[in-house]
Amino acid sequence: MALDLGNLAAFMAVAQSRGFREAARTSGYSASALSAAVRRLEAQAGVRLFQRTTRSVTLTEAGTQLLERLVPALGEVEAALDVVNGFRESPRGTLRLNVPAVAARLFLSPIVEAFLRAHPDIRLELTVDDTFVDVLAAGCDAGVRYEERLEQDMIAVPIGPRRQRFATAASPAYLAGRARLRHPRDLLGHACIRQRFASGAMPPWEYERKGKTVRVDPSGPLVVTTIAADMAVSAAVAGLGVIFLFEEWLAPAFESGALEPLLEDWWCSFSGPFLYYPSRRYMPAPLRAFVDFLRQFR
């Protein structure tokens, strides 16, 4: 069977974007061109790869299995062709990163700005996503996540702060007339502003002191997804309740006095984030340049 990489690339773009219109927006090809390429591939393969309705486009079982094999295979083809990039004085191409909201909010900006100044021929595409994704299946070269969420077969390079803490805080207005918190379990009697991951998980608040770990699962008037943490901060400043978030995120509110630290001697310290990417023989030149840059940036 003769292969047409263009048809395969069109199939992968539609599958990853979950639709022809979104694939057209991100790939630069028209929806009709992508549709024609997918039809040619289906005719060649002799099976339907997508179930199409007026409202949605979903993979068939055959399409799902093809995508699972195709993503790493085309990634290797792209990386192999990218080898010639290493012979340029300055690498060029597109680097696609999948990062959590906390990375985009707290520490990526100066790294990205310095990297793009050093490599003007590289285009960087950032996707902010708090779920743990297969970076290749998501069409990305690498991702940023914390150590407990890294898969063992990934290469991990430190990025950003090496130690961080979760802080607990509330506004002076909320604390007025209320007893001061002395133990994490006291939070069960307070209104607390919670955050939920896109997966639906809402982890408990964790504290540690003198080797003792305490986890509490408080309730309150507001729950937001982690990507909307700024709304949680605004709610805490407005006096709606107690917040539990990265210390760096709350630092401006601490400095202005809009929020007061609570239970500070119980705050947990944990390892900072990592850039992670799959181990493979050929690394795309833009990613290789970024990894080398991180080693010099620290």
Side-chain angles (χ1 to χ4, degrees), residues 164-266:
Q164 292 183 274
R165 293 194 301 175
F166 276 115
T168 307
S171 71
Y174 175 84
L175 294 172
R178 290 183 168 89
R180 303 298 292 185
L181 280 74
R182 300 182 181 278
H183 191 279
R185 293 195 187 92
D186 294 341
L187 288 163
L188 298 176
H190 283 263
C192 293
I193 299 166
R194 301 297 303 271
Q195 293 183 66
R196 190 193 308 275
F197 285 104
S199 64
M202 191 161 63
W205 293 2
E206 184 171 312
Y207 298 88
E208 185 178 4
R209 188 174 70 175
K210 298 179 181 179
K212 181 180 180 181
T213 299
V214 176
R215 296 179 180 87
V216 295
D217 195 13
S219 61
L222 178 65
V223 178
V224 302
T225 58
T226 54
I227 205 167
D230 277 330
M231 181 179 290
V233 176
S234 295
V237 170
L240 292 183
V242 180
I243 190 171
F244 179 81
L245 193 60
F246 287 89
E247 182 181 5
E248 300 98 318
W249 210 315
L250 298 180
F254 289 152
E255 292 173 4
S256 69
L259 292 177
E260 294 184 16
L262 303 173
L263 301 169
E264 195 166 358
D265 55 343
W266 282 92

Side-chain angles (χ1 to χ4, degrees), residues 25-290:
R25 188 184 67 81
T26 57
S27 69
Y29 293 95
S30 68
S32 59
L34 292 170
S35 180
V38 169
R39 285 198 301 272
R40 287 194 298 269
L41 183 60
E42 289 178 326
Q44 186 179 33
V47 295
R48 182 177 291 275
L49 301 173
F50 292 103
Q51 296 287 2
R52 304 169 179 82
T53 70
T54 56
R55 294 177 178 267
S56 65
V57 176
T58 58
L59 286 167
T60 64
E61 183 178 356
T64 300
Q65 293 191 19
L66 175 59
L67 182 65
E68 289 175 355
R69 294 291 189 91
L70 189 60
V71 168
L74 283 186
E76 288 297 326
V77 170
E78 182 178 341
L81 292 173
D82 192 58
V83 168
V84 298
N85 224 345
F87 292 93
R88 301 181 187 274
E89 291 185 5
S90 177
R92 66 181 58 181
T94 300
L95 173 62
R96 298 176 178 87
L97 299 181
N98 185 290
V99 306
V102 63
R105 175 69 165 74
L106 297 182
F107 63 81
L108 265 186
S109 289
I111 297 174
V112 165
E113 291 162 10
F115 174 72
L116 292 178
R117 281 196 297 268
H119 298 281
D121 293 328
I122 291 179
R123 177 189 183 195
L124 180 60
E125 294 184 4
L126 286 178
T127 298
V128 178
D129 184 355
D130 280 337
T131 61
F132 185 74
V133 300
D134 180 333
V135 290
L136 288 181
C140 296
D141 300 297
V144 174
R145 290 298 183 272
Y146 283 82
E147 191 171 10
E148 71 274 10
R149 305 190 75 193
L150 294 177
E151 296 182 3
Q152 292 184 351
D153 61 347
M154 293 287 179
I155 296 175
V157 178
I159 184 173
R162 298 323 314 139
R163 298 300 300 177
Q164 292 183 274
R165 293 194 301 175
F166 276 115
T168 307
S171 71
Y174 175 84
L175 294 172
R178 290 183 168 89
R180 303 298 292 185
L181 280 74
R182 300 182 181 278
H183 191 279
R185 293 195 187 92
D186 294 341
L187 288 163
L188 298 176
H190 283 263
C192 293
I193 299 166
R194 301 297 303 271
Q195 293 183 66
R196 190 193 308 275
F197 285 104
S199 64
M202 191 161 63
W205 293 2
E206 184 171 312
Y207 298 88
E208 185 178 4
R209 188 174 70 175
K210 298 179 181 179
K212 181 180 180 181
T213 299
V214 176
R215 296 179 180 87
V216 295
D217 195 13
S219 61
L222 178 65
V223 178
V224 302
T225 58
T226 54
I227 205 167
D230 277 330
M231 181 179 290
V233 176
S234 295
V237 170
L240 292 183
V242 180
I243 190 171
F244 179 81
L245 193 60
F246 287 89
E247 182 181 5
E248 300 98 318
W249 210 315
L250 298 180
F254 289 152
E255 292 173 4
S256 69
L259 292 177
E260 294 184 16
L262 303 173
L263 301 169
E264 195 166 358
D265 55 343
W266 282 92
W267 292 359
C268 283
S269 174
F270 53 92
S271 176
F274 292 83
L275 177 82
Y276 74 101
Y277 55 93
S279 174
R280 58 190 185 188
R281 185 176 178 183
Y282 297 113
M283 185 189 298
L287 176 58
R288 184 169 60 251
F290 190 63

